[in-house]
Amino acid sequence: YEFHQDSNFYYLSGVCEPGFAAAYDIASDTAILFVNHVSADEAVWIGVPPSLDAYRVAHGFDQAHYTFDVEKVLSTLKPSTIYTLEYMNTEQLGTSLASAINHRALLDPLHEARVFKDEFEIDVMRRANRISSDAHVTLMKETRLGMNEAEVRGRFVGLVLSKNSMYEAYGSIAARGRNAAVLHYTKNNQLLDNADEMILVDAGATFENYASDITRTWPVGPTFSPLCRDIYEIVLDMQKQVIQACGPNKQWEDMHNLANRVAAQGLLKLGILHGPIEAILDNFVVGYFMPHGIGHLIGIDTHDVGGYPTGTERVNKPGLRYLRARREMLPNM
């Protein structure tokens, strides 16, 4: 199995390899990397690793030691408190440091820090999205009647890996016709045998540990059927209006509600819905067409952390209960 680094550890260390640990001594402003020791026997199979100093320099740490020295190195610092993550194994700290462990205070502020991206992160995310976008465009050009969903999915994976993507950001979805109504469709094995149907591709690449997430639909045949075009135009209008309305200090759920209103207007115009628009919105009718919330935070994780700050509750109403974020939108989120 390919190794996927813990997202919080990667955010703090930049290390993608297994078996590492890291510490930051607040008092002395010292960053310490603990490197997984590779024996001579292991090196035959996985290669000779860099030196401790090479790891230290590559990842910007002040010190580097092997992980079997964690307890010895940290004991010399005489810490009053060691902040750890509650899901992390702390056996390497030994009995002498066990009483100093606080595994509750770090996670929330760490997740909040990950919400806001610096320029380096934004650049990496742009590159991840460019790789994914180019792959989607290629699929749009290549999709033909008689292909299989598996071919479409496999082609996407091959395209992004060939551009130095690490792996898929999540299990890619290639769903034709009604299969696309299954939010997390996983079969990806049906024949594209109806030119009037649409195919949905929900797929993104991970580049340098940052995810992308793109969903697009297009006709299986050479042109849209009239009804598919009408529905497509409604969704496109939803997207355009929400993008235009987005900005600092706006509320996430207001963007979702705007998308619902645009959808209701479009479905009323097509005659799919009937009645006063306010009644349709008050009764969450659009939630039956769009049961998921609009969008989510993205970063190292596809559904990135921080969507619900501490104390923020979910709204238990159709179309709102699955919102992946409820918070004010701020710059660099």
Side-chain angles (χ1 to χ4, degrees), residues 236-248:
L236 182 60
D237 194 24
M238 292 164 67
Q239 182 187 59
K240 288 180 175 179
Q241 291 203 39
V242 169
I243 290 173
Q244 185 175 14
C246 276

Side-chain angles (χ1 to χ4, degrees), residues 8-9 11-12 85 106-115 305:
N8 290 314
F9 184 73
Y11 179 77
L12 294 172
L85 300 174
L106 183 59
L107 190 60
D108 283 349
L110 175 55
H111 281 181
E112 188 66 10
R114 283 176 54 188
V115 169
V305 295

